[in-house]
Amino acid sequence: MLIWSNRCEYSPERYLLLDRDGVINIDRPDYIKHWNEFIFYPDALAALEQCRKQRIGVILISNQSALNRGLISLEDFWQLHHRMVQAIEANGGTLAAAFYCPHRPEERCSCRKPAPFMLLKAAQMFDIAMQEAVMIGDRPTDVQAAIAAGCRAVLLTRELATGQAPDSDSINPANVTRCSNLLAALADLVESVGP
Ligand SMILES: [Zn+2]
C-alpha cells in the first residue's frame, strides 16, 4: 500500500473517501499511464472545491495495479499524482491523503479493494469515525470495501452509458445510494449529514 498525506490545511469534521479512476477522472480500460491520459470530470473538480469550502476531508482510495503490471513506473506514478493534486488545488479543491494499492489481483494482497484495508488504515491515521464517513466509487468493489469498513457507500453511475455498468446484483441495495455525478453525490451527503 502506498500512502501520501497532505499538509494539514484545516481539521475536517467529516471525511469523504473517493475512488480515483472513473470518479474524479475518466477511466480507461488500458489504465492511466501518463498525465495526458488523466482527464478530470468537470463535476469532480467542482465537487472537490465544494469539499474544501465545507471543510470536508477528501481521501483517495484507489487500486492502481498498473504499477505492478509494469505499465507505469513508481516515479512516473508519483509525478502523475502530484500533477493531479496541483490541478485539484488550482481549481479550489484539496486532498487530505491518498491510499493506493499497487498490486495485481493475482498477488492476493491485503489492500486491494474490495478489501477494506485502505479505508481502515485511513480511518486509523485520520481518526475517522467510519459510521460518519462516506465512500464514493464507480464499481461494486468500492461498495463492498465501504460496507466491509463500516461506512456508507455511494455508487456513481455516470459510466452506465459506456457499457461499464456495475453489476447491481452484487450490491446490497439497502446500503447503497446511487448518484449520477459527484456534485449530486456531495449534495446528498451534505444534506443527509447536516451543516
Ligand atoms: Zn494491494
Side-chain angles (χ1 to χ4, degrees):
M1 178 173 53
L2 306 171
I3 303 176
W4 169 85
S5 78
N6 208 353
R7 72 198 184 290
C8 193
E9 185 188 345
Y10 53 84
S11 298
E13 286 163 22
R14 52 208 154 123
Y15 282 89
L16 188 58
L17 309 175
L18 286 184
D19 180 32
R20 195 190 80 178
D21 304 331
V23 173
I24 69 167
N25 60 285
I26 298 169
D27 202 3
R28 297 171 59 101
D30 61 342
Y31 306 95
I32 308 293
K33 307 169 296 299
H34 304 285
W35 175 242
N36 62 14
E37 296 172 340
F38 194 100
I39 301 164
F40 281 103
Y41 282 108
D43 69 286
L45 284 171
L48 289 166
E49 184 186 14
Q50 282 300 312
C51 286
R52 189 181 200 166
K53 282 183 180 161
Q54 301 186 35
R55 302 168 73 85
I56 296 170
V58 179
I59 297 178
L60 288 192
I61 306 278
S62 175
N63 289 347
Q64 289 297 328
S65 66
L67 277 161
N68 280 14
R69 291 178 201 273
L71 298 172
I72 184 170
S73 70
L74 197 56
E75 189 185 351
D76 288 348
F77 177 81
W78 282 122
Q79 197 174 53
L80 186 149
H81 164 86
H82 288 297
R83 292 183 82 157
M84 171 191 73
V85 172
Q86 280 170 9
I88 289 170
E89 295 191 343
N91 283 276
T94 192
L95 293 181
F99 291 72
Y100 297 113
C101 164
H103 305 107
R104 290 172 288 121
E106 312 86 85
E107 294 178 84
R108 300 188 172 280
C109 68
S110 57
C111 41
R112 185 176 166 83
K113 292 177 290 185
F117 190 77
M118 293 191 285
L119 290 80
L120 296 173
K121 190 71 188 169
Q124 184 190 47
M125 278 180 66
F126 291 87
D127 199 22
I128 302 169
M130 272 316 221
Q131 64 274 15
E132 291 165 20
V134 177
M135 169 87 205
I136 303 180
D138 67 329
R139 290 170 186 251
T141 47
D142 295 311
V143 172
Q144 288 161 5
I147 291 170
C151 73
R152 270 183 61 201
V154 174
L155 185 67
L156 210 55
T157 55
R158 62 153 91 88
E159 298 296 336
L160 284 174
T162 66
Q164 296 180 354
D167 175 9
S168 58
D169 292 343
S170 64
I171 299 166
N172 176 359
N175 291 321
V176 182
T177 307
R178 286 157 189 268
C179 279
S180 60
N181 73 68
L182 209 46
L183 269 178
L186 184 65
D188 179 69
L189 162 69
V190 170
E191 202 166 293
S192 67
V193 178

